[in-house]
Amino acid sequence: MAGVTVATGAEARKKRVVSGMRPTGRLHIGHYFGALQNWVRMQNAVLPASLPQQTSQAGAQHSLGSVRDKAAPLQGQDPGKAGHGNAAPLRGEEQRQEYECFYFIADWHALTSDYADTSAIAQNTIEIMTDYLASGLDPKKSVIFQQSLVPEHAELHLLLSMVTPLGWLERVPTYKEALENVRDKDLHTYGFLGYPTLQTADIVIYSSPAGAGAEGVQLFVPVGEDQVSHVELSREIVRRFDLFYGFELDESLRSKSAAGLCGNFCLALKIPGNTLSMSDFPLDVEKWAEFGSRVRTRIIEIGFDNAIELLRAAAVADMVKFTRVLQEPEVKLTRTPRVPGLDGRKMSKSYGNAITLSESDADIRAKTKVMVTDPARKRRSDPGNPDICPVYDWHKLFSTRDTLEWAAEGCRTAGIGCIECKAKMADHLIEWISPVRERRVEYEKHPKRVLEILEDGSKRARKVAQGTMERVREAVFGWEKKKKEIEGSAGSAKA
């Protein structure tokens, strides 16, 4: 399928975005305003022809808008092409996309808590993909894929899990909260504990660090303030992995003449334990491995940048080589509006307080009619405070400025009743959701096409993931290096 060309080496663009959702079924308006709206915005962000790509800082930080600005209804169009006719090419045009976007459906993540019953995952995957497309994600501008169709995610997860300390995972706040609060599922599993490690693999499998002639790519994860800690854990895991497999000491340090330099290493980094003596040199394989392990352990404790400064001060920094195998992801803070559920709590299908993106007009009116409001308005004549009313929060998402002023003034003066306010908000919500729902209906008529788009995106994602894993495998195992050594020895023997 024509569309985004994914760069895999030196030609890669400067910025890449990765994010995904678990397939829990049809998406609701909380999903849209909490994530999808920003995904679409980043997908559609372009660089002016006169602006160098690497200096642009534009992105998701724009004022909140309506989905109606993102794509037109599908009436009479092929659902495989609908809503995407204005996709900007990535190359060769005056405007280029600012971000290379990778958006996925995290079906493996669904197993971390719902492993006991997987019967709904396949259909839920189709439902969420349909909602992705109906909401404006464009397969010509973004790589949209299914996690389990890119097995390299699992391979990288395995390798990352080998170096991730158990304590790091056990201290994750959401892990402890889930164990305390979730009663209907057994979450005492390796898979649930290792969720952050798989999440890290999902992100950094699409990293492209600088080196080998490539400038590298900035890797971003769009999150809200409450999710920054998750990205920071991913950064810590990547740092540790890179120090194990991208860090090398100069082999000349093994020689007897380098005993003094090794001593300077230990002193500069304040490495605890017994120091090497002159009788230990030249270092054999076992002692060399032990020395390297102690240096790595210390660098992990104090941080790579701090270690390099200390080694420079001791004039031995040139004896260290560090190659980034994986790229640390960066946080892309995105503003998200408050979207309370019908009952005022966080919107969630499990609470039964959500409006899905496919909700009918009748259901929207019936559900919004019983929304909670300002508890101070017990009678029609009681004035209220719109700033603490969930209905007014929804007005801010869907209503016009005139309606916002009408609702706020009417609430504060008791000039309107809550039933009247809810009905007006429902009118605007229905107007907003109609084009999304229409696009969804068209895609529902062509589920095979939806799957084709998902499979095509998965193939393109896998091409990038395979390139990353070639680099990772070589860093971990060094098989290409070993093969060349063997081939070189064989050639010398024949000569």
Side-chain angles (χ1 to χ4, degrees):
M1 183 177 75
V4 55
T5 302
V6 177
T8 56
E11 64 174 352
R13 292 203 314 278
K14 303 301 179 188
K15 296 179 182 179
R16 186 172 285 170
V17 171
V18 182
S19 194
M21 292 187 194
R22 288 165 50 125
T24 56
R26 297 190 177 206
L27 300 182
H28 54 65
I29 59 175
H31 290 123
Y32 178 80
F33 288 103
L36 278 172
Q37 184 183 54
N38 281 312
W39 291 8
V40 173
R41 187 175 290 128
M42 297 180 83
Q43 163 195 274
N44 293 336
V46 295
L47 293 169
S50 60
L51 183 64
Q53 184 176 336
Q54 59 268 33
T55 62
S56 173
Q57 296 300 318
Q61 307 299 325
H62 301 293
S63 60
L64 297 172
S66 167
V67 72
R68 287 173 289 172
D69 298 329
K70 308 303 178 187
L74 287 178
Q75 298 168 350
Q77 298 183 38
D78 177 354
K81 301 177 181 177
H84 309 305
N86 296 322
L90 297 188
R91 295 179 179 80
E93 298 291 338
E94 288 188 359
Q95 289 185 318
R96 298 173 64 187
Q97 286 180 247
E98 183 174 1
Y99 299 98
E100 189 173 71
C101 298
F102 287 73
Y103 300 130
F104 66 98
I105 301 170
D107 51 344
W108 274 333
H109 279 289
L111 298 178
T112 60
S113 58
D114 299 323
Y115 57 87
D117 182 7
T118 60
S119 59
I121 292 179
Q123 183 59 38
N124 285 347
T125 297
I126 295 173
E127 297 287 359
I128 196 174
M129 181 61 178
T130 305
D131 281 326
Y132 277 4
L133 297 171
S135 297
L137 288 189
D138 186 342
K140 292 182 180 179
K141 293 182 178 181
S142 298
V143 180
I144 312 170
F145 66 99
Q146 183 179 336
Q147 181 190 34
S148 63
L149 293 183
V150 187
E152 286 74 17
H153 283 235
E155 183 181 2
L156 183 56
H157 168 228
L158 174 66
L159 295 176
L160 292 177
S161 71
M162 299 299 179
V163 303
T164 303
L166 193 59
W168 289 11
L169 301 176
E170 291 175 329
R171 76 179 188 220
V172 173
T174 50
Y175 173 71
K176 293 185 287 188
E177 290 171 9
L179 290 183
E180 292 172 0
N181 299 321
V182 177
R183 302 298 181 190
D184 60 339
K185 298 174 184 177
D186 182 7
L187 300 181
H188 293 83
T189 63
Y190 167 76
F192 188 73
L193 176 64
Y195 186 108
T197 313
L198 177 57
Q199 192 172 62
T200 301
D202 294 332
I203 299 166
V204 301
I205 194 83
Y206 300 102
S207 65
S208 181
E215 292 183 345
V217 176
Q218 286 181 281
L219 186 65
F220 292 102
V221 183
V223 295
E225 294 269 4
D226 59 334
Q227 296 174 307
V228 170
S229 61
H230 294 273
V231 181
E232 183 53 43
L233 177 57
S234 292
R235 290 169 62 85
E236 290 181 11
I237 292 172
V238 169
R239 287 187 206 119
R240 183 173 170 87
F241 185 86
D242 280 352
L243 275 171
F244 277 114
Y245 304 116
F247 174 81
E248 293 181 42
L249 292 172
D250 194 311
E251 288 280 335
S252 65
L253 287 171
R254 299 176 65 175
S255 66
K256 201 172 188 71
S257 61
L261 290 176
C262 283
N264 289 345
F265 250 94
C266 294
L267 290 173
L269 298 179
K270 298 180 180 178
I271 296 175
N274 297 327
T275 58
L276 295 167
S277 64
M278 283 296 296
S279 61
D280 292 319
F281 290 87
L283 299 179
D284 59 24
V285 173
E286 184 178 343
K287 283 189 170 59
W288 177 242
E290 181 185 355
F291 177 69
S293 177
R294 291 171 65 190
V295 172
R296 284 189 185 89
T297 299
R298 183 58 178 157
I299 291 177
I300 289 171
E301 290 174 353
I302 66 176
F304 181 77
D305 292 338
N306 291 332
I308 288 298
E309 288 302 314
L310 293 173
L311 293 174
R312 281 177 181 156
V316 288
D318 58 342
M319 308 303 287
V320 174
K321 178 182 177 183
F322 181 69
T323 303
R324 293 194 183 278
V325 183
L326 296 170
Q327 182 71 30
E328 291 180 34
E330 301 177 48
V331 166
K332 189 68 170 178
L333 281 176
T334 55
R335 292 184 298 168
T336 57
R338 172 176 154 76
V339 191
L342 295 163
D343 58 2
R345 294 184 294 174
K346 177 181 178 181
M347 185 174 289
S348 171
K349 279 176 286 189
S350 62
Y351 292 157
N353 64 358
I355 296 289
T356 67
L357 296 175
S358 54
E359 207 83 51
S360 69
D361 290 359
D363 285 343
I364 288 174
R365 294 193 186 281
K367 290 183 177 182
T368 55
K369 187 178 289 187
V370 295
M371 278 187 74
V372 298
T373 57
D374 178 2
R377 297 206 69 183
K378 292 181 171 60
R379 293 179 296 273
R380 168 67 174 77
S381 57
D382 293 333
N385 180 1
D387 295 328
I388 62 172
C389 178
V391 176
Y392 190 69
D393 285 326
W394 285 29
H395 267 296
K396 287 186 284 188
L397 297 174
F398 308 115
S399 299
T400 62
R401 185 178 298 276
D402 288 343
T403 300
L404 274 175
E405 294 175 356
W406 168 84
E409 177 67 16
C411 180
R412 291 190 178 100
T413 63
I416 61 172
C418 292
I419 293 176
E420 188 180 356
C421 185
K422 293 174 186 178
K424 192 68 172 177
M425 182 275 294
D427 290 340
H428 288 291
L429 168 54
I430 289 169
E431 182 184 2
W432 176 88
I433 210 169
S434 291
V436 183
R437 194 172 53 200
E438 289 171 11
R439 289 193 293 271
R440 195 184 203 288
V441 167
E442 288 300 315
Y443 282 114
E444 285 177 333
K445 294 176 183 177
H446 302 84
K448 183 178 179 182
R449 183 60 183 145
V450 172
L451 285 179
E452 287 174 352
I453 295 172
L454 184 59
E455 290 170 359
D456 179 79
S458 300
K459 289 176 183 176
R460 287 182 284 148
R462 191 175 186 195
K463 183 177 180 181
V464 179
Q466 287 173 328
T468 299
M469 286 312 302
E470 287 178 7
R471 181 176 70 248
V472 169
R473 288 189 207 103
E474 182 60 23
V476 174
F477 299 109
W479 274 112
E480 291 303 316
K481 180 180 179 181
K482 177 57 65 177
K483 288 176 183 177
K484 288 178 181 178
E485 288 178 4
I486 293 172
E487 289 170 0
S489 299
S492 300
K494 288 180 181 179

